[in-house]
Amino acid sequence: MKKRLWCFLVLYLSVLLSSPMTHARTLNLYTFHSPPYQVNPASVQDHTGPFGTTVETVRCVAGRMDWETQIRTVPQNRAIHGLRNHVIDGYFAVDESDLLNRFALPTAPVALEKWYFYSLEPIDNFRDSRIAAIAGSNEAIWLEQSRYATAMTVSHPDQLLALLHRDRVDAVLMDERVMALQRLSGQDPDDLNKQFVRFAPLSLYVTVPFAMEHPEFLNKFNRHIAGCMTGGFDLSQQEMSQISNRARSLIDELVNTYHLEDWLGSLGPPAELGEVLALDKQWRELSPSRASDKAAEILSLKLSGKLAQWQYEQDGMVTETIVMDTIGAAAAISVLTSDYWQGDERKFETIAGKTSDTLYLGPVRFDPSAQEFQVFASMPVVDPATDRFVGGVAIGLNIEKALRSPYLRPGSTNGSPGE
């Protein structure tokens, strides 16, 4: 009996040891050469593959999901062909594309670029201008899809600047960080005029068969991006200054137009916090599908209707408007908000009890449903007769629209429109 048991154990161990070991799954991905985001290794003998900020983000996310990565840089047409024919699992870092959406699914953004038109002289209308971009780049594809009259494409950024200085084109379209690298080749971007065009969220596209085989992949991948991305969604000091000025101007207009200090001052004492929290719970449970009784009551206010009209007149720049009482409860709203009580959020905590010139500007957030970058700004409302804090105003700003203001000259702190 013991001999049979021993033979069975030997047979079991031999089968176990002869079976292939379990390895991490491998993601087979294509990308393209675009420093500093994706950079080819200096030597073909370098087997570590491409590097750069976006490459490291993708590798980090994949690693946290127990996936290994095999990444190669290839021309755009080859990458699209590989994705369409399922030769690869995915392709990054690419802008949203109607073509790719036909046979692949995007993740949340793994990189964020800031695009500008660069020119020697100020240009009021770029639609009729000669514009150049890097061949096969996201910028070149976007120009074509947006029906700009692209003059030509070249293979390297320094060739774009050469075209500009030789008056072969009127402007070039380039990411801000890519342009900053031109200083290394003796160019000085600070000598150029620039106009902000857009934030470009760049994603990883995976094939439909891959997504079907791994149904949890996209959700898990998206959850890990924030912890792996290093920078990219932060505003520069110049952009912060411009957004702050725009937000302050809009809120001042709102307060003065509707005399919010008088309206808030007439509300009387705020509700008890316990009551506010109970109403907030009901509000959050139903939003955004429908309004709670309290939300419907506030939306029906005359002031809420005026806020909605004012917001509409801002042509998409303002995405949300909230008037708050002295403890941060919503007193009037332009649209149904996600919650009733703002008192535990930075946009209220930072301004509560402060003077009227205090401004809070929150972090940039990407709204995947609207495909927009937004930021919340808020200011206190103070009774000018008594200097008493009577509440606050918060607005959501579409960052791209807010940055499109009069032309940005060298050394200027103003932003600019895309056209």
Side-chain angles (χ1 to χ4, degrees):
M1 182 69 179
K2 291 183 179 179
K3 186 176 181 180
R4 288 183 180 179
L5 181 59
W6 174 251
C7 291
F8 175 80
L9 289 174
V10 170
L11 179 62
Y12 174 79
L13 289 172
S14 65
V15 171
L16 180 65
L17 294 174
S18 64
S19 300
M21 298 295 290
T22 301
H23 294 287
R25 298 161 294 183
T26 300
L27 272 175
N28 185 17
L29 306 175
Y30 282 170
T31 187
F32 55 95
H33 180 67
S34 179
Y37 301 97
Q38 302 95 233
V39 186
N40 286 327
S43 168
V44 293
Q45 282 75 38
D46 187 344
H47 298 295
T48 60
F51 59 95
T53 55
T54 308
V55 173
E56 297 313 312
T57 296
V58 171
R59 283 184 175 143
C60 171
V61 173
R64 294 187 179 190
M65 297 170 60
D66 295 324
W67 285 80
E68 294 180 351
T69 55
Q70 181 176 340
I71 301 174
R72 296 179 60 190
T73 56
V74 299
Q76 181 215 23
N77 289 339
R78 181 177 173 185
I80 293 176
H81 181 271
L83 198 64
R84 185 196 296 269
N85 293 281
H86 313 151
V87 174
I88 54 174
D89 298 318
Y91 170 40
F92 73 94
V94 279
D95 200 357
E96 184 182 12
S97 163
D98 290 338
L99 172 63
L100 296 182
N101 287 337
R102 297 172 190 169
F103 49 83
L105 300 172
T107 66
V110 295
L112 172 67
E113 294 184 345
K114 287 186 281 189
W115 295 356
Y116 287 85
F117 283 130
Y118 293 89
S119 61
L120 297 178
E121 300 294 335
I123 298 175
D124 293 327
N125 185 359
F126 285 88
R127 289 291 179 183
D128 300 322
S129 301
R130 300 169 299 166
I131 304 172
I134 302 296
S137 66
N138 289 302
E139 292 93 323
I141 296 170
W142 181 84
L143 281 170
E144 182 179 353
Q145 292 177 344
S146 302
R147 299 181 182 177
Y148 280 87
T150 308
M152 63 180 68
T153 57
V154 294
S155 59
H156 198 271
D158 59 6
Q159 295 173 306
L160 287 180
L161 297 181
L163 290 174
L164 195 60
H165 286 289
R166 292 171 187 168
D167 198 29
R168 297 281 302 278
V169 296
D170 301 312
V172 299
L173 179 61
M174 196 183 301
D175 169 64
E176 183 180 49
R177 294 179 67 186
V178 175
M179 175 60 83
L181 292 177
Q182 302 317 301
R183 289 190 178 91
L184 300 178
S185 60
Q187 304 287 345
D188 190 355
D190 293 335
D191 290 337
L192 300 174
N193 291 274
K194 70 177 188 178
Q195 270 191 315
F196 173 80
V197 179
R198 65 184 291 243
F199 284 103
L202 308 182
S203 302
L204 162 68
Y205 269 89
V206 298
T207 66
V208 171
F210 177 87
M212 293 178 65
E213 184 179 353
H214 307 282
E216 296 299 318
F217 179 87
L218 288 174
N219 286 336
K220 290 182 178 179
F221 191 96
N222 291 342
R223 286 200 298 268
H224 286 294
I225 290 176
C228 288
M229 185 180 291
T230 55
F233 283 79
D234 296 329
L235 295 174
S236 68
Q237 183 176 355
Q238 173 184 293
E239 291 164 340
M240 285 285 288
S241 176
Q242 182 178 343
I243 295 296
S244 296
N245 291 338
R246 181 58 58 86
R248 189 182 297 277
S249 175
L250 286 167
I251 294 176
D252 283 344
E253 175 189 322
L254 192 60
V255 171
N256 294 330
T257 300
Y258 299 112
H259 305 288
L260 294 184
E261 69 280 2
D262 295 334
W263 190 85
L264 285 167
S266 68
L267 292 181
E272 294 292 332
L273 183 58
E275 180 185 350
V276 170
L277 294 178
L279 291 170
D280 183 65
K281 183 176 183 295
Q282 297 169 6
W283 187 304
R284 288 185 287 106
E285 287 174 348
L286 296 176
S287 179
S289 58
R290 66 187 181 93
S292 67
D293 290 344
K294 186 62 177 179
E297 175 190 329
I298 294 176
L299 283 168
S300 67
L301 293 174
K302 187 175 181 180
L303 179 59
S304 291
K306 291 180 178 179
L307 295 180
Q309 178 61 33
W310 176 85
Q311 181 173 309
Y312 173 78
E313 293 169 356
Q314 307 313 311
D315 195 27
M317 185 183 302
V318 178
T319 59
E320 191 172 342
T321 308
I322 309 172
V323 176
M324 302 167 286
D325 67 15
T326 54
I327 63 170
I333 53 178
S334 62
V335 294
L336 179 60
T337 58
S338 59
D339 50 9
Y340 171 52
W341 189 51
Q342 320 293 319
D344 60 342
E345 299 181 19
R346 293 279 294 168
K347 63 175 175 282
F348 180 79
E349 292 176 332
T350 307
I351 66 167
K354 300 297 177 60
T355 57
S356 58
D357 60 345
T358 303
L359 174 73
Y360 165 74
L361 194 65
V364 178
R365 294 285 183 260
F366 179 70
D367 182 350
S369 60
Q371 289 290 301
E372 292 178 348
F373 291 90
Q374 302 178 2
V375 64
F376 256 100
S378 60
M379 291 179 66
V381 178
V382 176
D383 184 341
T386 63
D387 288 333
R388 181 172 62 93
F389 173 76
V390 293
V393 177
I395 60 173
L397 285 175
N398 179 308
I399 290 293
E400 294 186 85
K401 289 183 180 292
L403 286 175
R404 293 183 183 132
S405 64
Y407 205 95
L408 182 61
R409 309 299 200 277
S412 170
T413 59
N414 294 324
S416 50
E419 57 181 274

